[in-house]
Amino acid sequence: MSTHRYHQHFTVSWDQLHRDVRELCHRLIERDFKGIIAITRGGLIPAALIARELDVRLIDTVCIKSYDHMDQGGLEVMKGVDHEGEGWLLVDDLVDTGRTAKAVREMLPKAHFVTIYAKPEGKPLVDQYLTEVAQDCWIQFPWDMGVAYVEPLVDQAKR
C-alpha cells in the first residue's frame, strides 16, 4: 500500500482528539476493566487519556510496526502480552485496513477493542469506535504535526 491510495486528509487537533476520547469514554464508563493495552504507537496517547477518564491505573502495550509514514508494509510484532485479554481494554487511535487489528485480535481475542477512528475495511474488527472516516482519507494526528509560521497573503502577493 502506498501514499497514492489517499485522496483526502483529515487533520485532528489536540483539542479534537481529547473531545473524541472523552466521548468514547462516555460509552465505556459503565464497564470495569482490569487494565488497558495500548497498541503502539498510535494508541499510546488515546490510552493515556482513557486511563485518566476511566481511572484505570494498569497500562500495558502491544508493539507492532506496520507503517513507514504513509506507506503500509509488513507487520512486525516487537512486543506482545502473555494473556488473552479477558477483562482488558485494547486501544488504538485508528483501525485502517485491519491488518494490525487482525494480528492483535489473534493475540488478545477476549479483549474489548476500541479505536477513536475507523475506516470501512477495519471497522468490523473492533468492538467500538467513535468516528468513521473514508478509506481513502489520511488522518493527520496532532503528534505528527507541528506549528509553523504562515506568511500573510498580502506579503505573498507583494513578491
Side-chain angles (χ1 to χ4, degrees), residues 66-121:
S66 65
Y67 276 90
D68 183 14
H69 184 52
M70 293 173 77
D71 295 319
Q72 191 174 29
L75 288 178
E76 179 186 351
V77 178
M78 297 155 34
K79 178 190 171 290
V81 294
D82 62 355
H83 56 82
E84 294 186 327
E86 176 104 35
W88 287 76
L89 180 63
L90 180 61
V91 177
D92 206 354
D93 56 348
L94 164 72
V95 60
D96 190 334
T97 63
R99 290 180 60 230
T100 300
K102 284 178 192 169
V104 175
R105 274 285 194 207
E106 289 175 12
M107 278 189 252
L108 297 156
K110 296 182 179 179
H112 187 76
F113 191 1
V114 299
T115 61
I116 312 306
Y117 307 103
K119 293 186 180 180
E121 288 178 29

Side-chain angles (χ1 to χ4, degrees), residues 54-69:
L54 300 182
D55 195 27
V56 176
R57 303 292 175 135
L58 185 57
I59 302 175
D60 201 351
T61 59
V62 168
C63 305
I64 297 180
K65 181 179 180 181
S66 65
Y67 276 90
D68 183 14
H69 184 52

Side-chain angles (χ1 to χ4, degrees), residues 21 36 38 43-54 56 59 91:
V21 168
I36 294 174
L44 285 170
I45 292 171
L49 295 170
I50 290 170
R52 181 203 181 265
E53 296 300 333
L54 300 182
V56 176
I59 302 175
V91 177

Side-chain angles (χ1 to χ4, degrees), residues 10-26 41-50 53 91-94 114-118 130-131 133 139-145:
F10 172 47
T11 301
V12 178
S13 68
W14 286 111
D15 288 342
Q16 184 64 50
L17 179 74
H18 199 208
R19 281 191 301 271
D20 289 345
V21 168
R22 285 179 55 91
E23 180 59 35
L24 182 61
C25 287
H26 280 289
R41 289 182 312 212
L44 285 170
I45 292 171
L49 295 170
I50 290 170
E53 296 300 333
V91 177
D92 206 354
D93 56 348
L94 164 72
V114 299
T115 61
I116 312 306
Y117 307 103
L130 183 67
T131 302
V133 179
I139 300 177
Q140 300 281 357
F141 287 101
W143 50 83
D144 290 330
M145 305 299 292

